[in-house]
Amino acid sequence: MPREPNLDALVCFDIYSANLAIGRLYKPLLEPLGLTYPQYLVLKVLWETDAQSLGTIGRRLGLESSTLTPLVKRLEARGLVTRLRDTGDERRVVVSLAEAGRVLEARTEGFARCLIEGTGMSVAEMEQIHRLMRKLTAGTVQQA
Amino acid sequence: MPREPNLDALVCFDIYSANLAIGRLYKPLLEPLGLTYPQYLVLKVLWETDAQSLGTIGRRLGLESSTLTPLVKRLEARGLVTRLRDTGDERRVVVSLAEAGRVLEARTEGFARCLIEGTGMSVAEMEQIHRLMRKLTAGTVQQA
DNA sequence: TGCGATTGCATCGCGTGCGACTTATTTCTG
DNA sequence: CAGAAATAAGTCGCACGCGATGCAATCGCA
């Protein structure tokens, strides 16, 4: 007989599993584009605002440079982005969309619809998730 | 000027980032126990119900055998669980808690409180997340 | 101005996470 | 009951994801 699951089990299991489930949902959509799910998220950040530094992209997605550096290099190797040192601050590397990366956005237009259909969630529920996840992430203490 | 983010960006980014944020929140809690976050989740499944097959654990967490096999072997190497072939069905491997794994649960009692304090979410919001994430994961089509 | 502290990116090692494939066992079907 | 199909676990290669660490550029403050 299973015991009563306690609170952190609920939230941990569910967000963990939901994230993996979304990754699986996107995999067949991204395969024709030759992209992984994290690579898609990085491109999405750039489609919103082009020419951002590695650190800015990392802060947006909650990723360390040790994760982002090799990932972006793979995007560069496929000719989707360019990496250039910031002339104003030579420490920074500015990632910009190459032409091949820019035109790729058009092929992702139906993804939001697939997400709705693939999960069976309403737009209102999606927005509720958005609000709760943002609050949760923002609430986690960023130690200096 | 950033363009309007579309719907899938909201949900993808936020669940992705929230999952990473929870992992970071748990890391300092799990470090003294010598556990990774996925290892903790596997033990949590066993604390709920002991002696489950590898496949059952995988279905609960949404993990493939290729991920779970080496993870559980590491838990076995630390003496936290045992792996035994099911006598009734020799294809199955039953994972059970060893004594060291069983007593470890006591040292995780404060984690739910840390999750509440670390995220700043209320219990009601946590339960709302639980409900939405379960629905989302359940809704994703499991192809035969 | 100078030099220590900080910042931004990169490298390395290890632990996930998965698809494709293999092997062993069980079940299904004629 | 034999052979085919299905199922369970494991192996391999590759892509994350992070902490620890290194290095160069920049900042800050005496």
Side-chain angles (χ1 to χ4, degrees), chain A residues 20-33:
Chain A
L20 293 179
I22 291 181
R24 274 190 288 273
L25 182 66
Y26 270 85
K27 183 151 299 203
L29 301 175
L30 293 172
E31 199 140 295
L33 310 186

Side-chain angles (χ1 to χ4, degrees), chain B residues 51-62:
Chain B
Q52 298 190 58
S53 76
L54 204 72
T56 307
I57 299 170
R59 251 167 269 124
R60 178 75 198 279
L61 294 171

Side-chain angles (χ1 to χ4, degrees), chain B residues 4-60:
Chain B
E4 189 69 31
N6 43 28
L7 185 65
D8 75 320
L10 303 182
V11 176
C12 291
F13 282 29
D14 299 337
I15 296 181
Y16 181 80
S17 300
N19 184 51
L20 294 178
I22 291 181
R24 274 190 288 273
L25 182 66
Y26 270 85
K27 183 151 298 205
L29 301 174
L30 292 172
E31 200 140 292
L33 311 184
L35 293 175
T36 66
Y37 183 57
Q39 287 169 4
Y40 167 66
L41 293 182
V42 169
L43 285 178
K44 222 158 169 36
V45 170
L46 291 172
W47 289 329
E48 268 180 35
T49 309
D50 198 1
Q52 298 190 58
S53 76
L54 204 72
T56 307
I57 299 170
R59 251 167 269 124
R60 178 75 198 279

Side-chain angles (χ1 to χ4, degrees), chain A residues 16 24 54-55 65-66 69 73 83 91-93:
Chain A
Y16 181 80
R24 274 190 288 273
L54 204 73
S65 75
S66 48
T69 294
K73 281 189 174 177
R83 295 172 352 108
R91 292 171 303 182
R92 283 189 170 81
V93 167

